Amino acid sequence: KNSPFVQLLEQVYGVTHRTIPVATPHCSGVVKSLHGRIEQELYKTEPITCERELSGNTGTYLLFHHFLRPHRGLPYPDGRSVTPYQFLQSRMPEALASWPFLPPIILDKIPLRASQLIYELIPQK
């Protein structure tokens, strides 16, 4: 049975949730690279004084990262650097612009019994 979080991703955002295979630490490199980039390019350069700024600045950075910032590490047929969204479209032409952007969530603000809140966000069939 899928967790409420996975159900939210799949039913509301249309995302297929997959986990990193056991004992394959090299698979988390892309995630660690993104986190490091956010740390260097946003959190260490932008003064953030409240949660609203944290959410807004992080959301804006993610839009920049996915749609405007070319990445050398993405294999593209003609060898040029492309944005993550351009790379996604090259593999999945039907990809919508909304796919690579899930809004930032401050996990510390989610109550321990958040599963009920997540279920309420999932459209009932």
Side-chain angles (χ1 to χ4, degrees), residues 2-113:
N2 286 335
S3 72
F5 175 72
V6 172
Q7 290 178 37
L8 177 70
L9 289 177
E10 292 176 347
Q11 294 177 22
V12 174
Y13 293 103
V15 173
T16 301
H17 181 264
R18 287 183 264 167
T19 58
I20 296 172
V22 175
T24 55
H26 62 282
C27 290
S28 64
V30 173
V31 173
K32 289 182 179 194
S33 176
L34 173 59
H35 285 210
R37 212 171 286 123
I38 291 172
E39 181 77 27
Q40 290 296 318
E41 295 178 1
L42 176 66
Y43 299 141
K44 288 189 176 180
T45 61
E46 294 286 327
I48 297 175
T49 60
C50 65
E51 289 176 16
R52 184 174 176 183
E53 286 181 1
L54 176 64
S55 293
N57 291 3
T58 303
T60 300
Y61 180 82
L62 290 173
L63 287 171
F64 162 75
H65 179 273
H66 294 327
F67 294 99
L68 298 173
R69 186 183 193 281
H71 296 260
R72 290 175 295 181
L74 295 174
Y76 203 70
D78 63 6
R80 64 188 164 105
S81 295
V82 296
T83 68
Y85 184 64
Q86 289 170 320
F87 177 74
L88 175 65
Q89 281 194 309
S90 75
R91 298 286 178 98
M92 299 176 66
E94 73 280 6
L96 301 174
S98 61
W99 284 11
F101 183 72
L102 298 175
I105 298 169
I106 300 174
L107 296 176
D108 292 344
K109 293 297 177 182
I110 297 177
L112 293 176
R113 303 205 38 95

